[in-house]
């Protein structure tokens, strides 16, 4: 139930955030918006979730994912309804910004699945939930034009029909928030965070600031945030522009452009999930180093096919075929990121998830502002196909920093682990001697034992001996406490 509630809430946040992009040709004619204004509003939509995702990472670490999910849906539902009231560019962009805040549901979704599933399948679980949620970015391009057309066919003028259409996702926001509160659980035990903390079953992670410092102070978080900006960020950009691109480039009507544009997002029904599965599968023989290699290869291929998509702009058939291949690699790379993220920090897992998720929105905002907003003078001569080409080049270049991610107990793409360093060493460093004395580190130590699977079976270090004999760093901390 927790799994399904998490992805359904995330799915609806995508539907509402990109619903205005689905109806962009109609809305721009009614509000007399220019293409640069449509582009700027699209940037506003993805900017809203940048700070919200970081905040949500801290919030779910404290109160749990169930309250985080339901609060997000209830607080942003009024913004969805307010889309019916916009009258000009400023109100349109403002409402898109506030609806976009609900994209922080991604952090709730990933945190929730990361809590409910063990390390052997967490990559797959995170990828399926996030992939099915991301599918809302494609589903809205198919659903919203149909809702609009159905209302219009019922006798409502077009300039009113698109406004009434937003009452559908707004109402579903309230329904999903209510179901999450009534049916969701925070933890495999079936109890919520407050009860578990009162009982002492769920150990406190300590003060909030050390958790934030732990997450933000880990350089691996920042590299993954950057590279995620050019997998998920690219996906968000395509969700924002694809319907308008197909409508203008090939002269399609809105329903056809919406249905074809929906294919890109709907591929998430299996692509992001298979990304997580591939990451988990590669980790069995090759461990974390395998996860890093497959992420770099897949995301680079996504950038290459984005370039090719811009080069075949004269053919609708070729554009759709390449778009499908591009979506597979792009979305698989998204899933692969969250096969790595849970291992960056156990204590600050929510903060790291929030930072990486926010990186996706930053990447989308920057990419769309540079190549698709049409606000700068030099962009006036840049065609949409060329914008796709340069977005692909940017994605290939900014995937290279994956090579700099190094875990002392597992290694990196190019180097092996540091001799004598074990998983307990890495995760214990997140706690002070006083916190260790209080037993706050016990959850991290259990996770450290489970995460030995990230060595891969090709790593010949003996696991049993390590489990029984603390490493030098662990022993040193215990000696300090004593």
């Amino acid at each position: 139930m927790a799994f399904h509630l998490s992805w359904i809430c995330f799915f609806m946040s995508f539907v509402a955030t990109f619903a205005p992009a689905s109806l962009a040709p109609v809305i721009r004619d009614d509000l007399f918006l220019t293409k640069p204004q449509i582009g700027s509003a699209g940037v506003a939509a993805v900017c809203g979730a940048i700070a919200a995702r970081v905040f949500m990472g801290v919030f779910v670490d404290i109160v749990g994912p169930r309250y985080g999910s339901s609060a997000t849906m209830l607080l942003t539902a009024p913004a969805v309804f307010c889309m019916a009231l916009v009258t000009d560019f400023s109100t349109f962009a403002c409402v898109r910004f506030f609806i976009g805040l609900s994209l922080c549901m991604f952090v709730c979704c990933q945190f929730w699945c990361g809590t409910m599933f063990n390390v052997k399948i967490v990559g797959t679980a995170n990828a399926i939930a996030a992939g099915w949620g991301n599918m809302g970015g494609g589903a809205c391009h198919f659903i919203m034009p149909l809702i609009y057309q159905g209302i219009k066919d019922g006798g409502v003028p077009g300039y009113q029909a698109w406004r009434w259409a937003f009452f559908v996702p707004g109402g579903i926001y309230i329904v999903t928030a209510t179901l999450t509160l009534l049916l969701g659980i925070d933890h495999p035990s079936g109890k919520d965070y407050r009860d578990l903390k009162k009982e002492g079953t769920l150990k406190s992670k300590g003060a909030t600031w050390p958790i934030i410092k732990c997450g933000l102070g880990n350089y691996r978080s920042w590299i993954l945030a950057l590279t995620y900006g050019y997998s998920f960020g690219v996906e968000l950009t395509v969700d924002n522009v694809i319907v308008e691109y197909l409508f203008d480039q090939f002269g399609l009507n809105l329903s056809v452009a919406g249905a074809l544009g929906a294919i890109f997002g709907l591929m998430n029904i299996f692509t992001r999930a298979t990304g997580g599965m591939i990451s988990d599968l590669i980790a069995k023989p090759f461990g974390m180093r395998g996860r890093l290699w497959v992420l770099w290869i897949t995301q680079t291929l996504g950038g290459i096919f984005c370039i090719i998509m811009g080069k075949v702009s004269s053919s609708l058939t070729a554009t759709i075929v390449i778009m499908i291949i591009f979506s597979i690699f792009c979305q698989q790379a998204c899933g692969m990121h969250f096969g790595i993220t849970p291992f960056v920090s156990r204590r600050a897992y929510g903060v790291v998830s929030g930072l990486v998720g926010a990186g996706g929105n930053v990447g989308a905002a920057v990419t769309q502002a540079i190549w698709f907003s049409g606000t700068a003078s030099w962009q006036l001569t840049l065609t949409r196909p060329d914008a796709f080409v340069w977005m692909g080049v940017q994605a290939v270049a900014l995937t290279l920093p994956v090579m700099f991610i190094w875990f002392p107990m597992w290694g990196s793409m190019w180097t092996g682990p540091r001799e004598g360093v074990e998983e307990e060493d890495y995760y214990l460093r997140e706690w002070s001697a006083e916190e260790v004395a209080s037993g706050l580190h016990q959850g991290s130590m259990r996770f450290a034992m489970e995460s030995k699977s990230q060595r891969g079976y090709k790593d010949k270090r003996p696991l049993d001996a390590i489990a029984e004999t603390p490493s030098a760093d662990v022993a040193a901390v215990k000696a300090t406490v004593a």
Side-chain angles (χ1 to χ4, degrees), residues 282-304:
I282 290 294
K284 289 181 180 179
F286 299 108
M288 181 57 68
R289 297 180 69 182
R291 289 186 189 270
L292 295 170
W293 268 106
V294 76
L295 169 60
W296 176 73
I297 292 169
T298 303
Q299 187 158 315
T300 299
L301 287 172
I304 291 171

Side-chain angles (χ1 to χ4, degrees), residues 289 292-293 296-297 400 402-405 411-415:
R289 297 180 69 182
L292 295 170
W293 268 106
W296 176 73
I297 292 169
L400 293 173
V402 170
M403 297 181 182
F404 298 107
I405 296 177
S412 68
M413 287 174 61
W414 302 104
T415 61

Side-chain angles (χ1 to χ4, degrees), residues 47-109:
C47 280
I50 295 172
R53 285 190 169 192
V54 177
F55 169 79
M56 187 55 67
V58 179
F59 188 73
V60 295
D61 258 332
I62 297 171
V63 304
R66 182 167 66 99
Y67 287 111
S69 299
S70 56
T72 299
M73 303 301 280
L74 290 174
L75 290 174
T76 54
V80 183
F81 290 120
C82 283
M83 183 57 74
L85 305 176
V86 301
T87 56
D88 54 21
F89 166 69
S90 60
T91 53
F92 178 65
C94 185
V95 170
R96 288 212 66 182
F97 174 87
F98 283 106
I99 296 175
L101 293 175
S102 65
L103 289 180
C104 70
M105 265 303 308
F106 172 75
V107 179
C108 300
C109 173

Side-chain angles (χ1 to χ4, degrees), residues 277-354:
M277 292 174 185
I278 291 170
S279 183
D280 285 344
L281 186 64
I282 290 294
K284 289 181 180 179
F286 299 108
M288 181 57 68
R289 297 180 69 182
R291 289 186 189 270
L292 295 170
W293 268 106
V294 76
L295 169 60
W296 176 73
I297 292 169
T298 303
Q299 187 158 315
T300 299
L301 287 172
I304 291 171
F305 277 97
C306 182
I307 295 170
I308 297 172
M309 179 175 158
K311 293 293 187 181
V312 297
S313 58
S314 59
S315 168
L316 176 61
T317 301
T319 295
I320 299 303
V321 170
I322 297 299
M323 182 186 75
I324 291 172
I325 301 173
F326 163 39
S327 72
I328 292 173
F329 288 120
C330 176
Q331 293 159 8
Q332 281 183 336
C334 294
M336 290 170 183
H337 272 87
F338 281 85
I340 299 170
T341 300
F343 300 98
V344 172
S345 171
R346 189 56 186 174
R347 182 180 188 180
Y349 175 44
V351 175
V352 174
S353 294

Side-chain angles (χ1 to χ4, degrees), residues 81-389:
F81 290 120
C82 283
M83 183 57 74
L85 305 176
V86 301
T87 56
D88 54 21
F89 166 69
S90 60
T91 53
F92 178 65
C94 185
V95 170
R96 288 212 66 182
F97 174 87
F98 283 106
I99 296 175
L101 293 175
S102 65
L103 289 180
C104 70
M105 265 303 308
F106 172 75
V107 179
C108 300
C109 173
Q110 296 296 276
F111 185 91
W112 211 345
C113 290
T115 301
M116 300 296 289
F117 297 92
N118 68 34
V119 296
K120 293 182 179 179
I121 59 168
V122 67
T124 300
N126 272 339
I128 293 175
W132 289 359
N134 284 2
M135 194 168 59
C140 70
H141 295 323
F142 178 74
I143 295 169
M144 293 304 293
L146 290 180
I147 294 174
Y148 161 74
Q149 193 62 47
I151 295 173
K152 186 178 177 182
D153 291 345
V156 179
Y159 68 90
Q160 292 181 355
W162 72 263
R163 298 174 186 273
W164 282 106
F166 282 90
F167 280 81
V168 176
I172 296 176
Y173 262 42
I174 296 174
V175 172
T176 53
T178 304
L179 290 176
T180 299
L181 283 172
L182 295 177
L183 303 178
I185 58 173
D186 280 315
H187 191 268
S189 66
K191 300 178 181 180
D192 65 28
Y193 264 42
R194 294 179 301 175
D195 293 336
L196 290 169
K197 287 181 178 179
K198 288 177 182 178
E199 295 173 0
T201 305
L202 187 65
K203 291 287 186 181
S204 170
K205 295 186 178 182
T208 302
W209 170 243
I211 296 174
I212 297 173
K213 184 179 178 180
C214 180
L216 299 185
N218 193 317
Y219 83 93
R220 300 166 192 84
S221 306
W222 294 97
I223 291 180
L224 288 171
L226 172 63
T227 57
Y228 192 60
Y230 289 91
S231 56
F232 185 60
V234 167
E235 182 182 349
L236 290 180
T237 301
V238 176
D239 284 337
N240 248 335
V241 304
I242 191 64
V243 172
E244 188 182 14
Y245 173 68
L246 295 175
F247 182 88
D248 294 334
Q249 183 73 18
F250 300 104
L252 306 176
N253 64 49
L254 183 60
S255 296
V256 174
L260 292 177
I263 294 173
F264 183 88
L266 289 174
M267 294 296 289
N268 272 297
I269 195 170
F270 73 91
T271 51
R272 185 156 183 156
T274 56
M277 292 174 185
I278 291 170
S279 183
D280 285 344
L281 186 64
I282 290 294
K284 289 181 180 179
F286 299 108
M288 181 57 68
R289 297 180 69 182
R291 289 186 189 270
L292 295 170
W293 268 106
V294 76
L295 169 60
W296 176 73
I297 292 169
T298 303
Q299 187 158 315
T300 299
L301 287 172
I304 291 171
F305 277 97
C306 182
I307 295 170
I308 297 172
M309 179 175 158
K311 293 293 187 181
V312 297
S313 58
S314 59
S315 168
L316 176 61
T317 301
T319 295
I320 299 303
V321 170
I322 297 299
M323 182 186 75
I324 291 172
I325 301 173
F326 163 39
S327 72
I328 292 173
F329 288 120
C330 176
Q331 293 159 8
Q332 281 183 336
C334 294
M336 290 170 183
H337 272 87
F338 281 85
I340 299 170
T341 300
F343 300 98
V344 172
S345 171
R346 189 56 186 174
R347 182 180 188 180
Y349 175 44
V351 175
V352 174
S353 294
L355 181 61
V356 175
N361 285 72
V362 172
V366 171
T367 301
Q368 191 160 343
I370 293 175
W371 308 119
F372 294 96
S373 66
T375 54
S377 58
W378 63 270
Q379 291 176 337
L380 298 177
T381 59
L382 184 72
T383 65
R384 279 296 168 91
D386 287 341
F388 279 103
V389 170

